Amino acid sequence: MSDDSLHILVFPWLAFGHMLPLLQLSKSLAKRGHRITYISTPTNIQRLVQIQPDLSPGIQFLSFPLPPVEHLPETAEATGDIPLEKVQYLKKAFDGLEAPFSTFFKSACADKSTRPDWVIMDFTHHWLPKIAEDCCVPCTYFSVFIAPALVFFGPCSELLSGYRTSVEDFTVPPNWIPFPSNVAFRLHEARSFLSVGEKNASGITDTERIVSVINGSKLVCVRSCHSLESKWLSLLSKLYAKEVMPVGLLPPSIEQSNRSTTDVGELDVMDWLDRQHIESVLYIAFGSEATLSLELLHELALGIEISKVHFLWALRKPDGLPEGFIERTKEFGVVMGWVPQMRVLAHASVGGFLTHCGWSSVVENFQFGHPLVQLPIYADQGLNARILEEKEIGVVIPRDEETGNFRREEVAKVVRFVMVEEEGKVIRHNAKQLKEIFTDRNSHEKHIDDFVEKLKTFK
Ligand SMILES: *[C@@H]1O[C@H](CO)[C@@H](O)[C@H](O)[C@H]1NC(C)=O
Ligand SMILES: CC(=O)N[C@H]1CO[C@H](CO)[C@@H](O)[C@@H]1O
């Protein structure tokens, strides 16, 4: 290993939407000859290694078992293992890693051969900067939230002062955005965002967490690239008064969406897709965490049924679908508990994606340039949806501002507009254009090179 190679600790929040992009970044860093110690909990690491069996020896895994916490199922180690309202207990358990991490960190720092040069941490690690600072090791916050979302939330001073006093304050773009923008929550999104953020069994809110993490970071890095959100990145840098670096979009490889165990169902899906017309199928998936109320799930399903557009729906619990739905739509649609998402998106028969606008799904989608039917559900998804709307590469299903309800007729209308109507052509065209930014591997590699150069200047 050359002298200027780095030893970097990578410690993501316990959610696959955070662990996977950071594993992707770890792989890129290891490929450049740097040593990575990737930290998580035992089962998460087992699952990651299963998803990516081809990892280089440059990445070493270190696991800390979670302490037991009341109301948290013993087997839960990631947000996808539990309903949304239990995530607060996962955060509480996560905070229990402070002591074992600190012990490990101090002893690693005591020896030149194991001393880390950097720590890459997530928004939850409010206790980590202090530990690292005591050993003079610099930290960086790695954000899976896009730059416009971070800008919307604002600089630490504003976050701490609690300048947003009412739910309505979350529905207007803040005054520190100097250019025209519609980045803000809808009222119903703001309500659901706040209702989750307020639950804090750990005694510390998400806002307090992220403030401590940003404040404790020598620089902030974002899963983004210059060509996508250059003006937002420079604005963010001004707001934080520190360097903000995009590390590229970290697109996963197609193989990554394979399961190591053979899935009998998967063959059928690919087979079914093979029999469909080119770009005719709407792929529907909301990831492993977001869920709709039963009422809205019905409305969505009935809207898709009315649209008559062919569809492939990845739905973990299909028993929530309206009675007779599967039978009535069997000529033009299939519902599966799990599908290899990247391979499905890559299939020539897929022509659109009905998504919750989680950023990982968006990054995967634009490897193939499908237009979006957007149905943001929680967390930062509403903000992602606004940015995507500005780019005119999809259409949001209209919802009641107050309740968040939507009607099946609207679902059908948007689905047909995005997938088949003549008027939707420009959306489909723009989506194909945007693919160029997302698939520009040279640019992504360059972003990581620049990031590494920056990290080295602190050594
Ligand atoms: C910000 O960092 C400084 C120096 O590391 C520390 O003294 C201060 O308490 C931190 N403030 C917050 C709000 O975390
Ligand atoms: C913002 C908020 O709701 N904070 C609460 C988090 O939990 C602690 C302990 O229960 C409360 O004191 C805070 O008010």
Side-chain angles (χ1 to χ4, degrees):
M1 205 148 291
S2 68
D3 263 341
D4 67 346
S5 78
L6 302 166
H7 176 208
I8 303 169
L9 300 192
V10 174
F11 194 174
W13 164 232
L14 309 176
F16 278 84
H18 296 238
M19 292 187 275
L20 284 170
L22 270 173
L23 188 56
Q24 200 69 28
L25 180 63
S26 300
K27 281 165 70 176
S28 295
L29 295 169
K31 211 174 69 190
R32 287 164 170 78
H34 304 291
R35 223 164 86 221
I36 306 296
T37 301
Y38 185 105
I39 303 172
S40 192
T41 57
T43 308
N44 285 337
I45 288 175
Q46 251 175 41
R47 288 186 279 198
L48 288 169
V49 175
Q50 242 171 43
I51 299 171
Q52 306 225 322
D54 60 332
L55 291 171
S56 87
I59 303 176
Q60 300 224 303
F61 289 99
L62 175 63
S63 66
F64 294 114
L66 284 180
V69 158
E70 202 188 346
H71 308 300
L72 184 68
E74 257 175 55
T75 53
E77 291 189 11
T79 52
D81 300 336
I82 43 177
L84 220 45
E85 61 274 12
K86 293 222 171 200
V87 170
Q88 51 175 334
Y89 303 110
L90 188 63
K91 288 191 179 128
K92 185 173 180 184
F94 173 80
D95 286 343
L97 300 185
E98 175 177 359
F101 175 82
S102 178
T103 306
F104 150 78
F105 193 79
K106 283 188 186 126
S107 86
C109 286
D111 184 338
K112 219 172 160 223
S113 69
T114 52
R115 183 183 165 82
D117 298 298
W118 272 95
V119 184
I120 302 181
M121 64 185 164
D122 215 323
F123 79 102
T124 39
H125 299 57
H126 63 98
W127 38 263
L128 199 151
K130 174 79 177 64
I131 298 170
E133 193 181 289
D134 286 348
C135 297
C136 302
V137 176
C139 299
T140 172
Y141 165 43
F142 170 86
S143 171
V144 297
F145 307 116
I146 60 176
L150 293 174
V151 164
F152 174 79
F153 292 121
C156 292
S157 55
E158 301 285 354
L159 284 167
L160 281 180
S161 71
Y163 69 97
R164 286 183 176 112
T165 51
S166 72
V167 63
E168 283 79 13
D169 292 339
F170 285 82
T171 64
V172 286
N175 59 16
W176 52 79
I177 302 181
F179 41 79
S181 167
N182 63 5
V183 171
F185 284 116
R186 299 270 183 269
L187 189 59
H188 66 91
E189 291 167 353
R191 283 226 178 84
S192 91
F193 177 78
L194 290 174
S195 75
V196 174
E198 270 165 14
K199 290 190 174 136
N200 77 74
S202 64
I204 175 159
T205 60
D206 285 353
T207 303
E208 292 163 324
R209 284 177 192 275
I210 202 166
V211 164
S212 166
V213 163
I214 294 166
N215 180 57
S217 290
K218 288 279 181 273
L219 72 125
V220 168
C221 50
V222 187
R223 183 188 191 183
S224 178
C225 62
H226 290 295
S227 40
L228 197 63
E229 39 191 42
S230 158
K231 65 179 178 186
W232 293 101
L233 290 160
S234 15
L235 176 56
L236 189 62
S237 180
K238 253 187 234 146
L239 295 176
Y240 285 174
K242 60 184 73 189
E243 187 145 15
V244 172
M245 292 202 81
V247 293
L249 291 165
L250 308 171
S253 53
I254 287 207
E255 301 77 58
Q256 186 169 315
S257 94
N258 277 337
R259 277 192 185 176
S260 55
T261 52
T262 16
D263 190 324
V264 212
E266 184 195 322
L267 286 176
D268 297 343
V269 167
M270 289 301 155
D271 199 38
W272 183 83
L273 281 172
D274 286 345
R275 282 184 271 117
Q276 308 302 310
H277 291 296
I278 184 161
E279 295 183 354
S280 70
V281 175
L282 178 69
Y283 171 55
I284 308 166
F286 299 117
S288 52
E289 288 163 38
T291 46
L292 284 171
S293 69
L294 213 52
E295 191 193 347
L296 289 184
L297 183 68
H298 279 202
E299 212 55 27
L300 181 67
L302 295 172
I304 287 157
E305 183 179 343
I306 301 172
S307 81
K308 290 280 182 287
V309 166
H310 288 217
F311 69 87
L312 165 58
W313 192 341
L315 185 64
R316 267 222 292 208
K317 294 189 184 128
D319 40 331
L321 288 168
E323 207 165 321
F325 173 81
I326 291 184
E327 180 61 25
R328 289 195 304 274
T329 56
K330 69 169 191 270
E331 295 302 323
F332 62 100
V334 284
V335 180
M336 302 283 300
W338 183 87
V339 304
Q341 175 150 304
M342 280 287 273
R343 291 187 54 203
V344 165
L345 288 167
H347 198 284
S349 296
V350 171
F353 184 14
L354 197 164
T355 173
H356 58 347
C357 302
W359 196 241
S360 287
S361 287
V362 172
V363 169
E364 292 183 11
N365 176 74
F366 284 104
Q367 300 306 304
F368 311 102
H370 303 305
L372 302 179
V373 176
Q374 298 168 230
L375 188 62
I377 299 182
Y378 82 113
D380 57 335
Q381 293 163 2
L383 302 175
N384 297 348
R386 293 306 96 70
I387 280 291
L388 294 167
E389 269 180 298
E390 283 182 6
K391 296 187 187 299
E392 296 186 69
I393 48 70
V395 179
V396 176
I397 294 174
R399 303 176 73 159
D400 183 273
E401 193 69 23
E402 194 62 39
T403 61
N405 290 343
F406 55 81
R407 294 181 312 120
R408 65 194 73 168
E409 294 79 10
E410 299 281 0
V411 173
K413 207 167 126 193
V414 174
V415 165
R416 291 198 60 81
F417 183 88
V418 169
M419 294 295 292
V420 288
E421 305 290 355
E422 185 61 23
E423 292 88 336
K425 220 170 157 178
V426 61
I427 297 279
R428 297 192 285 275
H429 174 78
N430 292 345
K432 280 213 171 74
Q433 297 287 107
L434 193 59
K435 172 182 162 184
E436 284 172 27
I437 291 180
F438 280 77
T439 51
D440 187 348
R441 299 255 163 188
N442 287 341
S443 156
H444 297 321
E445 292 296 313
K446 174 78 170 61
H447 279 83
I448 293 172
D449 287 339
D450 293 346
F451 177 56
V452 169
E453 283 314 305
K454 177 58 65 181
L455 296 186
K456 279 181 187 166
T457 61
F458 285 79
K459 196 169 170 171

